[in-house]
Structure formats: C-alpha cells, structure tokens
Amino acid sequence: MFSVAATAQVKPAAAKTDIIHKKAPVDTTVAIAIPHKDSILLLPGGIRIGVDLSRIVSAIYYPYRKEITVVADARINADLYLAFEGGYANTPYSDSNYTYKGNGAFVTLGLDYNFLKRQYPSEKNMFYGGFRYGFSHFNYAVPSYTIKNPYWGDHLTSSIPKTNVNAHWIELMLGLKAEVFKNFFMGWNVRERFLINNVKTDAITPLVIPGYGNGGKRTVLDVQYTVSYVIPFYHVKERIAGTEVKKKKIPKR
Amino acid sequence: MKSIYQILLIGSLLAGIAACENETKVCDQTLSTNLHINFKRDSAGIVRDTIMPKVTAFALGHDSIYKVQPLSNVFFQLSPVADTSRFYLKVDSTLTPDTLTFRYKRTTHFISAGCGFGTYFLLDTVIATRHTIDSVQINIKSVTTSNDTHLTLYFFNQ
C-alpha cells in the first residue's frame, strides 16, 4: 500500500488511468560470504612406552612361561598410531615324562586406530582396534624324554637336540587405554593371533612360541593388561574444514 | 571417566580368566597306540565277524592280556623299544595256539604338553603260524590310533 501511494505522488498521470502496477515481491535474502578457511588443530603426540602386566599373571598359572613384553606406540595422526611390541621368553619345563628348554625373542609391528570421539582436543583416552604382524626367532630342545610302557616294562629314553625356528603370525585386536594420571596410561586389549607358518614336527611341538603363545595351536586368544607412559615431544596436526558460504536473511531498509 | 575405570577392571578379570588354562597339567589323550585286530571266519559261505569263545593272549615272556574270554577283537601293545613283538594267541581251549610275529618301524611322536611322548608304529611284516589262523590281512600299516582296525585274522572252521 505504501509503495502504491508513493508512486501516485510522483507520477500523477498513472493514477488517472486507474492502472495499478504491481511490483514483484522484493527478495530480502542477501548472500554473504563467510571466509572459507580450514582450521588446523594441534593435538598432543608422543611415544608411549609400557609393559604388559598380564605376563606376571600368566607366569603364575603357567610356571614354564616366563616372558617380558614391552609395548610402545607413536601417534602419526589424529586417530592413527604406529604400534610396536617386543620381548623375550624363556620356557623351562620338566615333569616325569620329559624336560623341555626353550627361549627366544619376538617383535610385532602394526597400527592402532582410535574409534573414540574426542570430547576435547587434548583427550588421549583411546578405544581402538588394530592389527599386528608378529615374528619370533626362538630355539628349543628336549634334553630327555621317557616313553613308558607298563605292559612291556620297558622305558625308552632319548632326547631331541636344540632346534632353531622362526614363527610368523598376524594379530587382530580391540582394546582401550585410559589416561589415569597425566601422561600415565592403563589399558587392556583382547587379541586373536593367527599363526602363518607351521612350527610343529612329528617329533615335537614347541610348548611356547615367544610372543605368540601355545605352539600347538593355529589360533590363540590372548589378553594384555598394560601400564604405559607417554613422552610428549611433538604435536600432530588435525585439519578442521572451514565453514561454507551461507545465505543470511537481512531485512531491507 | 568412571566407566573407563570399570572397563579397566573388567579387562583385568579377563586377563585372569584367559590365564587359567595350563595345558601341561592335562593329558586327555591315550599314551599307547595299540594294534587293533579283528577276527573273521567263514560261516556258510559268508565271511563275517566272529566271536572266538575262549581267547587267551599275551606277549611271549609277559603277562596275559586276555585270559579265556569271548572276544571278536583284540588290542596288542607293541614294544616301544624293539622292532619286533611276538604274541601267543589261543582262541579256544581245545585248539592249538598260534604265534603272531610283528615287525615294524618305530617313530617317536609328541602327543601333547600334558601327555609327553608316545610311539607310532609302521607295520612291515606279520608272520603267523597256521594252526587256527587261515590267513592274515593287513588293513592299515600305520599304527597311530587304536580306533582303526589294523589287522584282520581269518580263522579256519573247526
């Protein structure tokens, strides 16, 4: 109405003809470009080094499995960690049927992916899945064994000489790590190991493959319980995408 | 954060449970692999499994394995320290006994961490006297389990 009246004052001729010019509705929407820039967030990185405490529990239940495992990882981006484990195992066993001696070292190398959505940029807690490739070089020997036969009354006694063996395996795992004090972590993980090569012979199956577990099984389920400390000496960058151009309504004056 | 501590605790319990199986304490397999022998006899033109009425058997110079009992199968333990084992076999009290001689190769076999070692045998030759035994058939040469029937003895009709 206001618009029509104003037109009538400026152009009186138009009023005479009784023609009303309807103007198209005015679009009050104006495109405003908000700067389209990515942000870069610096997240704490570092090398985390720890030990597997479950080997202590394991040594109680399996007195012949004396093993130490060192675990380490390094953050390579916001959610991905390069993981390493290494250790040494000694397997002394003796009963009335045989004595067994074994020892060797192992390493595993792989990646962990953190599924946990960070509640704040510096959060270091992790719920992760990962995989490892494992390799062990070890040796074993049976200094003496006896095969008893009560019926014949004969005892066969013999030995198996020291043998060197390499074992390869793959691990899939799921676990978590919680920062219980600043830079100090506790965590556990469950893992399934799949042996790639055969280490058994007819004469003997290694009791323990260092880092793998029972030498007689093609797959092994294991649990790790770790305490670790992160040495924070670098940062990793996380790119956060910038805001896009938005349409904003601004009333016309 | 509280829930993370609870999960850590559950994890420690899992570690304990996973460590409870000690395979060196359990021997759930038989240590001896016995030679399994089956008896057969011709009955009205058909060869079929037969029960011999009074079976007595033992390794020469050792105790009886079976003493006058009705059997259709016998299980012999071969010697783990010699490459030949000889057995006395009498299938009826009125019949003449036979002697069976087994020649074989031995290999040591690791059974399990809990059981230790055992012996596998590979049958080479079987020699039998022919008083009651008509013929001997070797079904399986490799004696690694007692579940297989390694040998069949065919008896004369008396």
Side-chain angles (χ1 to χ4, degrees):
Chain A
M1 281 299 286
F2 176 78
S3 169
V4 171
T7 311
Q9 283 173 0
V10 176
K11 295 178 179 177
K16 283 178 189 173
T17 57
D18 283 346
I19 296 167
I20 297 168
H21 294 277
K22 283 190 178 174
K23 282 193 174 179
V26 177
D27 184 6
T28 57
T29 307
V30 177
I32 295 175
I34 296 171
H36 186 107
K37 272 190 174 177
D38 288 352
S39 309
I40 289 177
L41 208 59
L42 287 177
L43 303 173
I47 291 180
R48 180 169 26 215
I49 298 170
V51 291
D52 178 9
L53 295 180
S54 71
R55 300 304 94 175
I56 298 167
V57 179
S58 176
I60 295 167
Y61 286 98
Y62 306 85
Y64 59 95
R65 285 178 65 166
K66 300 184 190 311
E67 190 172 300
I68 183 161
T69 303
V70 175
V71 296
D73 64 30
R75 196 174 196 172
I76 50 178
N77 70 27
D79 297 316
L80 209 58
Y81 293 76
L82 182 69
F84 165 87
E85 285 155 20
Y88 178 83
N90 187 24
T91 317
Y93 179 74
S94 180
D95 67 16
S96 58
N97 294 322
Y98 68 104
T99 56
Y100 179 96
K101 285 180 181 174
N103 63 69
F106 69 93
V107 289
T108 71
L109 197 65
L111 291 171
D112 289 337
Y113 183 85
N114 184 16
F115 298 113
L116 196 68
K117 192 176 178 182
R118 285 186 302 280
Q119 291 174 353
Y120 47 93
S122 61
E123 182 177 0
K124 296 174 195 164
N125 295 324
M126 289 174 70
F127 173 69
Y128 63 96
F131 74 91
R132 303 274 188 280
Y133 160 74
F135 171 78
S136 173
H137 178 74
F138 65 103
N139 65 67
Y140 61 83
V142 179
S144 74
Y145 68 82
T146 306
I147 299 174
K148 296 169 188 165
N149 190 307
Y151 178 70
W152 287 88
D154 299 322
H155 290 185
L156 176 73
T157 303
S158 189
S159 64
I160 294 173
K162 188 175 171 180
T163 309
N164 289 306
V165 184
N166 292 331
H168 307 262
W169 67 92
I170 295 289
E171 301 180 7
L172 295 176
M173 56 198 291
L174 209 60
L176 65 83
K177 286 172 188 163
E179 188 179 25
V180 289
F181 301 112
K182 187 171 171 56
N183 295 330
F184 182 78
F185 291 79
M186 293 180 85
W188 60 262
N189 61 68
V190 182
R191 56 182 69 201
E192 186 77 15
R193 297 191 178 103
F194 304 91
L195 193 64
I196 297 171
N197 65 320
N198 184 26
V199 294
K200 279 199 240 181
T201 65
D202 267 351
I204 181 74
T205 301
L207 289 191
V208 173
I209 300 172
Y212 176 82
N214 188 336
K217 292 185 176 175
R218 297 295 293 185
T219 63
V220 169
L221 180 73
D222 201 3
V223 176
Q224 262 192 355
Y225 196 82
T226 59
V227 289
S228 49
Y229 185 82
V230 67
I231 305 162
F233 62 91
Y234 66 91
H235 287 88
V236 292
K237 290 176 184 174
E238 184 184 33
R239 188 177 294 273
I240 296 175
T243 29
E244 291 177 8
V245 174
K246 286 181 181 174
K247 279 196 166 184
K248 207 172 180 181
K249 265 193 172 180
I250 297 174
K252 191 180 178 187
R253 290 177 188 175
Chain B
M1 201 65 181
K2 190 183 171 190
S3 63
I4 282 182
Y5 288 121
Q6 287 170 344
I7 296 169
L8 280 172
L9 185 66
I10 292 165
S12 65
L13 292 173
L14 278 174
I17 291 164
C20 282
E21 184 202 0
N22 185 341
E23 63 267 24
T24 59
K25 299 286 180 195
V26 183
C27 178
D28 52 2
Q29 295 173 62
T30 52
L31 291 172
S32 58
T33 45
N34 296 330
L35 180 73
H36 180 185
I37 302 171
N38 173 236
F39 297 156
K40 285 191 185 222
R41 189 157 55 178
D42 190 322
S43 171
I46 301 166
V47 177
R48 57 182 66 175
D49 290 350
T50 187
I51 298 171
M52 304 311 284
K54 291 175 181 175
V55 177
T56 298
F58 52 84
L60 298 185
H62 291 79
D63 295 340
S64 291
I65 304 167
Y66 304 102
K67 213 170 192 176
V68 197
Q69 56 193 103
L71 294 168
S72 62
N73 293 274
V74 288
F75 295 85
F76 289 163
Q77 287 187 33
L78 301 175
S79 170
V81 295
D83 292 333
T84 303
S85 295
R86 298 185 76 198
F87 291 87
Y88 168 99
L89 177 67
K90 189 173 182 181
V91 291
D92 200 339
S93 53
T94 57
L95 300 176
T96 312
D98 281 299
T99 304
L100 288 158
T101 304
F102 301 101
R103 288 182 184 152
Y104 46 82
K105 290 184 178 71
R106 293 170 288 131
T107 50
T108 300
H109 172 69
F110 183 73
I111 299 167
S112 71
C115 300
F117 292 81
T119 309
Y120 281 170
F121 304 94
L122 184 68
L123 282 177
D124 186 30
T125 312
V126 180
I127 301 164
T129 56
R130 304 281 297 275
H131 299 119
T132 56
I133 296 169
D134 181 15
S135 60
V136 178
Q137 181 184 331
I138 300 174
N139 303 316
I140 300 167
K141 283 190 166 188
S142 178
V143 183
T144 58
T145 167
S146 306
N147 297 330
D148 299 327
T149 305
H150 306 101
L151 215 70
T152 301
L153 294 183
Y154 294 89
F155 290 94
F156 291 118
N157 280 316
Q158 302 293 332

